[in-house]
Each structure stands twice: as structure tokens, then as C-alpha cells.
């Protein structure tokens, strides 16, 4: 019903414009030019043309309206509310800042400045409001509803807000950020500054084959992340013309928006830490998760039970990690020195394989 109403409205408006537009002909043409013109016939021709053209425009408007409606329905409620609030806030600021322009008297020749400034100002501040909502959406929602349980718990200090994460070039090219997002170990909003995107593009266009491959890999990974996590990955438009290096811009941005930084760069890690910026180093995370025991390490292990395969025995480390020992079925109940041969890490946990030290020797 709405689709039909939109199309009929456009047709009616187009027909009315065509029907009434003929009345302007005496003002636009001279009596000589109007001589012999059938005004009434022309009126109906223009009315029909206006109705047909408006039907096409109305159909396009109806399709666009349905697409927008579909996208709005797909948005989470909190994102929709925060963006609406950000849009209203941006338009309010635009009207407050543009008020002096409308009160200032302008000559007739410059009268176009007022409507132009109104349209451009509203568009710019509306976009800034939406960007602000994407970055600080939860904060805006807490301002709208200060009596929510989340707001009360945060005011008490029971809950701490999740800081926004800023990605640097090395972290994107490394690729392990995909695994962190997939497993849910990296929460909060993820920002990719526009100058990082430009650096990736510069690498992708470089003459050096190695740099070009790294740049293209980073762009491919970033495109996948934006496709898989459209609500969390945001391209931040901030740039600092007065700052020379990309690392310095990253530090400046993290300080300005009180964000954390995700990086693999050792030097950037140190610089950010000195300025009290929380740094999430993927290399440090991988180091902390590596197995305690590596192939060739020795330990004393008590064999608890028999394994699934012949001659296997099973023991456990203090943290509960299972150790499968070959040729240890005869040592059940005994504590024997073993040598680690391999380790297997799965989503179900870690498993270590070993042999008795005598068999290893």
C-alpha cells in the first residue's frame, strides 16, 4: 500500500506541475511565438509527459525507500538508537552554528549564501553526528537513558566500559587479528584510521615486490573484516596534517579518543606505553599462549591409566593437561621421567605427547 501511495503521489505532483506549467508560457514567450499554439492541447501533452516522468521517478524512490527500510530493519536496536541520537545532535549543532548567518543581513546578490550554508552545514554535521555515534554509541545511549542498569553499574564502578581499539598497519598485514575477532577475544569497536588505509594503499602500489605483496595482503584482510564485521569495523576519518609520521598519528588519535592500540610493532608499543596508552600486542599474546613444554623438554610424570592405543599410558600435568606417553602402559601408577615429543593445541584444550626418557635415549 505504501509503494502504491508513493508512486501515485509522484504521478499527481508531476501531472499538476505539467498542467500548471503551461500558464508560464505567456511570460516566457512573445505573442508572436505563441501565435497558432493550441494551449489546451499543449497543456494535456505536458501533463501526460509530467505524469509519465514522475512515475519513473516515483518508482525509483519506492525502490530506494524499500532498500533503506531493509537496511534499517537489519540494524541492531542499540546502533539504530545511537545513530538517531547522533544525527539529531549533529543537526542541532548545525542549526545553532548557522543561526548567526541567518540573522546577518546580506545583499540581494548574496542571498543564495543562506540556503547553501544551511544545506551544506546540515549535511556535514549530520555526517559528523553519525560518525560520533559509531565511535561512542554506548556513551550516547547512556546519556539518553541514565537510569539503565548498565549506567548505574558503571557509575558504581562495577562495570568498566570496553575501550575502542585502533589497528595499525603491521597488525592488519599480520592477519592474526581475524582469529582474535572470530574467537571473540577482542571486544569493543574497532577503528581503522584513514591514514592507515592510505599507507596500505601506498604499500600496495609500491615498486618493491615484497612491499606490494604486504600491502595487498593487508587490503584483502581489511576487506574481509569489513564484510564479516560491518558493525564493528569503522574507517575513522581523522587525520593530523601537523604530524609527520603514521605512528605519531596513531598515538595522537588513541590519546584523543581514549582508545587502546592493537599492534605488532615493538617500537610503537614502547612509545604508546610511555604515554599511558593501553597496548594490545599480538606477539605478546601469542607468546603467553605458547605451550609450557616444547619438544625435547623433560619432566617427571605419574602414569595414571592406559591409553587408547597399545602400549600407551596417560598422565596429567598440574593444570589438567593430558600427556600421552608411548610405551608406558607397564608403568601405570609409577612416576617416570619422560621427554616431550610434540604438542597439539585444539579448541577443546592442549594435549602433549611424550616417550619415557629411556626409550628416547
Amino acid at each position: 500500500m505504501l509503494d502504491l501511495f508513493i508512486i501515485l503521489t509522484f504521478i499527481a505532483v508531476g501531472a499538476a506541475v505539467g498542467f500548471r506549467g503551461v500558464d508560464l508560457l505567456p511570460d516566457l514567450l512573445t505573442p508572436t511565438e505563441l501565435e497558432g499554439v493550441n494551449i489546451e492541447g499543449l497543456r494535456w501533452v505536458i501533463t501526460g509527459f509530467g505524469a509519465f516522468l514522475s512515475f519513473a521517478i516515483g518508482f525509483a524512490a519506492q525502490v530506494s525507500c524499500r532498500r533503506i527500510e531493509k537496511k534499517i530493519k537489519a540494524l541492531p536496536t542499540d546502533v539504530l538508537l545511537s545513530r538517531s541520537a547522533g544525527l539529531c545532535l549533529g543537526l542541532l549543532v548545525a542549526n545553532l552554528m548557522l543561526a548567526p548567518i541567518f540573522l546577518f543581513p546580506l545583499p540581494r546578490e548574496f542571498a543564495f549564501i543562506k540556503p547553501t550554508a544551511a544545506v551544506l552545514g546540515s549535511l556535514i554535521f549530520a555526517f559528523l553526528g553519525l560518525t560520533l555515534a559509531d565511535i561512542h554509541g554506548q556513551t550516547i545511549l547512556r546519556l539518553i537513558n541514565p537510569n539503565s542498569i548498565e549506567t548505574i553499574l558503571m557509575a558504581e564502578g562495577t562495570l568498566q566500559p570496553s575501550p575502542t581499539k585502533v589497528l595499525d598497519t603491521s597488525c592488519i598485514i599480520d592477519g592474526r587479528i581475524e582469529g582474535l575477532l572470530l574467537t571473540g577475544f577482542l571486544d569493543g569497536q574497532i577503528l581503522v584510521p584513514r591514514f592507515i588505509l592510505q599507507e596500505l594503499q601506498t604499500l600496495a602500489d609500491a615498486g618493491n615486490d615484497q612491499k606490494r605483496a604486504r600491502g595487498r595482503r593487508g587490503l584483502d584482510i581489511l576487506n574481509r573484516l569489513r564484510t564479516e564485521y560491518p558493525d564493528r569495523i569503522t574507517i575513522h576519518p581523522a587525520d593530523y596534517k601537523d604530524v609527520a609520521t603514521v605512528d605519531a598519528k596513531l598515538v595522537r588519535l588513541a590519546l584523543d579518543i581514549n582508545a587502546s592500540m592493537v599492534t605488532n610493532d615493538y617500537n610503537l608499543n614502547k612509545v604508546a606505553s610511555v604515554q599511558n596508552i593501553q597496548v594490545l600486542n599480538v606477539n605478546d599474546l601469542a607468546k603467553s599462549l605458547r605451550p609450557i613444554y616444547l619438544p625435547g623438554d623433560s619432566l617427571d610424570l605419574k602414569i595414571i591409566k592406559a591409553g587408547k592405543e597399545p602400549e600407551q599410558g596417560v598422565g596429567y600435568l598440574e593444570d589438567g593437561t593430558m600427556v600421552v606417553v608411548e610405551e608406558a602402559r607397564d608403568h601405570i601408577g609409577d612416576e617416570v621421567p619422560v621427554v616431550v615429543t610434540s604438542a597439539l593445541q585444539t579448541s577443546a584444550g592442549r594435549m602433549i605427547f611424550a616417550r619415557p626418557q629411556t626409550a628416547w635415549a
Side-chain angles (χ1 to χ4, degrees):
M1 193 65 185
L2 178 61
D3 298 341
L4 182 61
F5 175 77
I6 293 174
I7 294 176
L8 290 178
T9 300
F10 271 87
I11 292 175
V13 171
V17 171
F19 187 83
R20 301 296 299 176
V22 178
D23 295 335
L24 299 176
L25 287 178
D27 297 331
L28 300 175
L29 301 176
T30 63
T32 304
E33 292 172 327
L34 284 173
E35 186 177 351
V37 176
N38 186 348
I39 299 296
E40 291 302 318
L42 182 62
R43 182 190 301 275
W44 289 109
V45 170
I46 295 179
T47 299
F49 179 76
F52 177 77
L53 182 62
S54 298
F55 169 77
I57 297 175
F59 181 76
Q62 176 264 329
V63 172
S64 301
C65 182
R66 285 304 179 188
R67 288 180 178 176
I68 294 173
E69 180 184 5
K70 185 177 180 181
K71 289 185 178 181
I72 291 176
K73 287 182 178 179
L75 287 176
T77 305
D78 56 342
V79 175
L80 182 61
L81 288 176
S82 63
R83 288 185 177 180
S84 300
L87 179 63
C88 294
L89 182 61
L91 293 176
L92 177 61
V93 173
N95 280 273
L96 291 176
M97 295 189 66
L98 293 172
I101 297 179
F102 289 101
L103 296 176
F104 189 77
L106 293 175
R108 185 184 299 274
E109 293 79 6
F110 298 98
F112 68 92
I113 292 179
K114 292 184 178 181
T116 304
V119 173
L120 292 179
S122 298
L123 290 176
I124 292 172
F125 281 94
F127 175 76
L128 292 177
L130 291 175
T131 303
L132 177 66
D134 287 337
I135 299 173
H136 300 290
Q138 293 299 325
T139 303
I140 294 176
L141 291 179
R142 287 193 291 271
L143 291 175
I144 296 174
N145 185 15
N147 295 322
S148 65
I149 296 177
E150 181 187 5
T151 302
I152 295 173
L153 292 176
M154 285 191 174
E156 293 175 350
T158 305
L159 289 179
Q160 296 294 330
S162 177
T164 302
K165 312 299 189 299
V166 180
L167 301 185
D168 82 329
T169 309
S170 63
C171 181
I172 297 174
I173 295 175
D174 178 87
R176 286 178 288 182
I177 187 70
E178 284 188 280
L180 292 177
L181 288 172
L182 179 63
T183 54
F185 279 97
L186 197 63
D187 59 351
Q189 192 74 19
I190 310 296
L191 295 187
V192 180
R194 193 175 298 278
F195 51 82
I196 292 295
L197 188 60
Q198 292 172 350
E199 186 178 34
L200 287 173
Q201 184 177 359
T202 301
L203 287 174
D205 295 335
N208 185 285
D209 292 341
Q210 185 176 4
K211 289 184 177 180
R212 185 165 59 249
R214 294 177 69 246
R216 291 177 178 176
R217 169 181 166 81
L219 290 174
D220 291 340
I221 292 174
L222 185 57
N223 284 328
R224 288 200 300 269
L225 292 178
R226 295 199 67 189
T227 302
E228 295 173 5
Y229 308 97
D231 296 331
R232 295 189 59 191
I233 308 296
T234 303
I235 303 298
H236 197 283
D239 198 359
Y240 302 96
K241 301 298 183 182
D242 56 326
V243 180
T245 64
V246 173
D247 288 354
K249 291 181 179 182
L250 275 172
V251 173
R252 177 85 168 270
L253 176 61
L255 288 172
D256 287 348
I257 64 175
N258 195 25
S260 301
M261 188 182 300
V262 185
T263 182
N264 291 338
D265 192 320
Y266 178 81
N267 294 325
L268 179 59
N269 188 346
K270 292 299 182 182
V271 172
S273 299
V274 169
Q275 302 190 52
N276 296 323
I277 298 174
Q278 183 184 15
V279 180
L280 306 178
N281 193 315
V282 181
N283 289 332
D284 290 342
L285 176 62
K287 181 180 178 181
S288 65
L289 294 177
R290 71 181 182 182
I292 300 175
Y293 294 102
L294 299 175
D297 291 346
S298 301
L299 67 147
D300 293 329
L301 182 72
K302 184 176 182 179
I303 308 300
I304 304 297
K305 60 180 182 179
K308 293 182 178 181
E309 301 296 331
E311 302 301 325
Q312 278 186 350
V314 176
Y316 295 90
L317 300 179
E318 293 180 355
D319 61 358
T321 301
M322 178 187 291
V323 181
V324 179
V325 184
E326 302 291 340
E327 303 178 13
R329 184 183 291 267
D330 296 336
H331 298 284
I332 295 176
D334 299 334
E335 184 171 310
V336 296
V338 299
V339 178
V340 176
T341 57
S342 62
L344 178 64
Q345 178 70 51
T346 66
S347 58
R350 185 170 65 244
M351 182 181 295
I352 296 176
F353 296 90
R355 287 181 177 272
Q357 200 165 35
T358 54
W360 178 268

